[in-house]
Amino acid sequence: MRDIEIAELRNLTQVIKDTYNYDFTNYAMSSFKRRIQRVMDVFKMNSVQELINRLKEDRSFFHDFVSEITVNVTEMFRDPSFWRVARDHIIPNVLLNADTISIWHAGCSSGEEVFSMAVMLKEMGILEKSKIIATDLDPEILDKARAGVYSLKNMELNEKNYIRFQGTGKLSDYYTVRDGKAYMDKSLVANVSWRQHNLVSGPVFNKFDMVLCRNVMIYFNQTLQNEVLKRLHESLFKYGYLAIGSKESLIWCEIANKFIVVNNEEKIYKKIKD
Amino acid sequence: MTKFDLHNRYKAIVIGGSAGSFQGITKILSSISEDFNLPIIMCLHRLKHVRNGFTEALSIKSKKPVIEPFDKENIKKGMVYLAPANYHLCLELGNSFSLSTEDMVNNSRPAIDITLDSAAYVYKDKLVGILLSGANKDGALGMKRIKERGGLTIVQEPGECMIDTMPTAALEATSIDHVLKVDEIIRFLNELDKLYK
């Protein structure tokens, strides 16, 4: 298939901006281009122009488009060493000075990270003291997260991660298998509030003790990373914690000096300035 | 006399490898000059859940330290980069890296096709792509992209490979400029480097 040219991508993002007020201009080009290629494959389109025409003519198509554009590959207890540090150091630190903990999963995708958190908090005996908000841009993936149903193939990897995390039980204690699928124990997320939210343009809606935004900003360019980091910063209490992906970095961001590194290996930061 | 058609227009080297490539990579990294000019960007298949140890193992004999870039890190001359575990390594216009956790490609993350394809998009005819030993077809499409955009393509001679599936797939997918043994790849790189001195 013919490669997509940069000018075509610019046309496309402009049309989306004008028509739907969604701004993909500052998405990282290489992955955005691959996602566009994927949309064209899925919907059997031969050119970017065909995609542009469809977006202009068919407003309902835009939802499908957004679902295909957003990357929704994740795993439970991704980077088990991160979860051990969260359990053994970060969360106990928050609870030194407070009886409750508030957590925001920014870009929660299909919910694996939220269930990981809930399992961990339950094993720590503090799930009832926790207030969790999980947001994503894509309403369809939020439905999937709420449902908490995962393929058994994915559960194999999740189980391996859980063992490396050194949880107190077995991951299978937290789900039942029916019809070849894993149904997560819904009581884990009874207190989770799932919300559609745009990290790029949505409001700052609350303040949290801990924000997890792991492997989300990698899909943005530096301009947009700066903007999003400002919002994450505003959404944290002073001395609250920010966790990003293991190969993400804040060092190029304008407001990096408002954070200190708590754990460099696991990329956990603490807000030290308002 | 050299058998290579060398130019100093090249701006980067990308290397893909999988099963059986470690020895070749180590030899290349220990044989290039200490002030090798072009950035070398490597995507090697590796265990997804083991984050540490690979760069250290590669660095032991390497003339230059091997680093795993962070997301949005600028690509610098003379550096040797390795795709980190469980991320795809992509190149962005403006010569920086970006990382991605998209689906596995060819059962791999990092996938060689993604690194090579995005590198070809950024560097066009200023790229050299090298594909070494490996047991699946990852990298073949990436080499095709490099060729389509005017870059130079090199594969390890299948007869020398521990597992030749990967270079053979590339030879079937596109026209390859040079089929070389590791020692010849080293000679190519060092002759190329002289044009930048």
Side-chain angles (χ1 to χ4, degrees):
Chain A
M1 185 179 284
R2 193 179 60 85
D3 217 347
I4 298 171
E5 297 302 328
I6 196 76
E8 297 178 298
L9 289 179
R10 291 207 176 106
N11 275 342
L12 176 68
T13 50
Q14 191 60 47
V15 166
I16 294 169
K17 203 171 162 183
D18 295 344
T19 317
Y20 298 100
N21 202 25
Y22 267 61
D23 193 354
F24 290 107
T25 322
N26 287 316
Y27 272 50
M29 184 278 303
S30 66
S31 54
F32 186 70
K33 172 170 158 284
R34 271 195 306 284
R35 304 309 286 180
I36 295 299
Q37 192 74 62
R38 185 187 148 93
V39 169
M40 287 166 56
D41 289 346
V42 169
F43 296 98
K44 298 187 170 51
M45 296 170 172
N46 294 315
S47 68
V48 176
Q49 193 54 48
E50 199 178 330
L51 174 61
I52 290 175
N53 293 343
R54 179 80 185 269
L55 282 165
K56 278 181 176 167
E57 288 157 12
D58 183 358
R59 293 192 75 87
S60 66
F61 173 68
F62 185 63
H63 285 290
D64 299 332
F65 175 81
V66 170
S67 291
E68 291 297 336
I69 288 297
T70 46
V71 173
N72 290 309
V73 182
T74 178
E75 41 192 91
M76 288 184 199
F77 295 98
R78 184 182 163 115
D79 302 314
S81 51
F82 162 80
W83 291 94
R84 289 198 300 269
V85 171
R87 175 190 61 198
D88 300 338
H89 300 287
I90 305 302
I91 289 172
N93 252 321
V94 172
L95 291 173
L96 278 181
N97 303 312
D99 298 328
T100 61
I101 179 166
S102 57
I103 298 166
W104 176 24
H105 294 272
C108 68
S109 188
S110 40
E112 281 88 341
E113 188 184 74
V114 182
F115 278 99
S116 311
M117 180 63 81
V119 165
M120 182 179 78
L121 295 170
K122 183 160 187 180
E123 293 186 355
M124 295 173 77
I126 53 169
L127 184 57
E128 307 307 318
K129 295 178 181 177
S130 312
K131 174 79 190 147
I132 298 176
I133 294 182
T135 64
D136 200 274
L137 173 67
D138 175 14
E140 262 181 57
I141 206 72
L142 275 174
D143 287 342
K144 198 171 171 233
R146 269 190 209 101
V149 183
Y150 301 106
S151 78
L152 291 182
K153 186 169 171 286
N154 287 356
M155 290 314 282
E156 277 176 38
L157 172 64
N158 296 339
E159 187 84 54
K160 282 183 190 159
N161 285 346
Y162 176 81
I163 290 167
R164 293 190 184 105
F165 158 68
Q166 297 160 352
T168 57
K170 300 192 299 290
L171 192 57
S172 57
D173 298 340
Y174 303 101
Y175 64 87
T176 50
V177 176
R178 292 199 305 276
D179 313 324
K181 283 182 174 156
Y183 288 73
M184 297 304 293
D185 176 357
K186 295 294 274 290
S187 72
L188 286 167
V189 292
N191 290 328
V192 173
S193 165
W194 308 90
R195 297 183 196 172
Q196 198 271 341
H197 177 262
N198 188 335
L199 206 50
V200 174
S201 62
V204 172
F205 57 88
N206 218 332
K207 281 204 190 283
F208 298 90
D209 297 309
M210 187 175 187
V211 174
L212 289 88
C213 188
R214 300 170 70 221
N215 301 317
V216 176
M217 290 190 280
I218 51 177
Y219 299 105
F220 307 151
N221 71 12
Q222 264 188 55
T223 309
L224 196 49
Q225 287 189 354
N226 274 323
E227 290 308 307
V228 170
L229 186 64
K230 278 180 202 159
R231 286 156 188 273
L232 298 180
H233 173 266
E234 269 186 68
S235 306
L236 277 168
F237 289 119
K238 199 172 179 185
Y239 307 123
Y241 294 94
L242 172 65
I244 59 177
S246 63
K247 292 304 291 181
E248 296 184 277
S249 179
L250 296 189
I251 52 174
W252 302 291
C253 289
E254 290 159 7
I255 59 164
N257 64 341
K258 296 186 175 186
F259 292 90
I260 54 165
V261 179
V262 174
N263 187 309
N264 195 39
E265 187 68 16
E266 306 304 337
K267 289 290 170 289
I268 302 169
Y269 296 81
K270 185 184 230 173
K271 169 173 166 175
I272 51 155
K273 284 186 207 161
D274 280 320
Chain B
M1 266 312 278
T2 174
K3 67 173 177 177
F4 307 119
D5 183 22
L6 295 167
H7 291 276
N8 64 358
R9 69 162 186 269
Y10 297 115
K11 292 272 167 60
I13 316 274
V14 280
I15 302 179
S18 185
S21 70
F22 185 80
Q23 210 181 355
I25 284 282
T26 311
K27 200 167 179 188
I28 290 169
L29 293 179
S30 64
S31 308
I32 53 168
S33 75
E34 272 170 43
D35 56 352
F36 192 84
N37 194 282
L38 296 175
I40 296 175
I41 300 157
M42 303 187 295
C43 181
L44 307 174
H45 288 165
R46 55 189 296 183
L47 292 171
K48 278 202 298 172
H49 66 274
V50 181
R51 279 194 332 216
N52 299 318
F54 201 17
T55 53
E56 290 83 346
L58 288 168
S59 294
I60 291 172
K61 289 187 175 171
S62 175
K63 290 280 172 63
K64 290 159 172 289
V66 178
I67 64 163
E68 292 171 349
F70 283 98
D71 178 58
K72 303 299 159 343
E73 186 164 335
N74 284 325
I75 301 167
K76 293 198 192 81
K77 274 187 187 175
M79 300 290 281
V80 180
Y81 299 100
L82 175 72
N86 212 2
Y87 285 101
H88 294 301
L89 178 67
C90 324
L91 282 76
E92 295 285 325
L93 295 171
N95 297 356
S96 64
F97 291 109
S98 67
L99 300 173
S100 150
T101 60
E102 284 163 277
D103 288 296
M104 292 195 284
V105 172
N106 303 316
N107 237 349
S108 309
R109 188 171 55 230
I112 300 165
D113 273 344
I114 287 192
T115 303
L116 265 49
D117 180 19
S118 63
Y121 200 73
V122 169
Y123 287 111
K124 302 180 180 67
D125 63 341
K126 299 178 180 63
L127 182 70
V128 178
I130 302 175
L131 196 61
L132 304 175
S133 172
N136 78 358
K137 64 176 176 48
D138 192 22
L141 182 65
M143 293 296 268
K144 186 164 182 276
R145 294 293 195 208
I146 292 173
K147 194 72 224 164
E148 283 167 359
R149 294 203 166 252
L152 188 80
T153 49
I154 298 173
V155 298
Q156 186 178 3
E157 193 183 286
E160 191 195 52
C161 292
M162 201 178 289
I163 303 170
D164 67 6
T165 314
M166 202 178 258
T168 305
L171 283 161
E172 280 165 16
T174 186
S175 92
I176 297 295
D177 295 300
H178 301 297
V179 180
L180 304 175
K181 293 192 162 124
V182 166
D183 284 338
E184 294 171 303
I185 293 173
I186 290 165
R187 197 158 61 81
F188 166 84
L189 290 172
N190 283 331
E191 282 184 26
L192 179 66
D193 188 50
K194 283 185 192 136
L195 301 179
Y196 294 81
K197 298 290 153 71

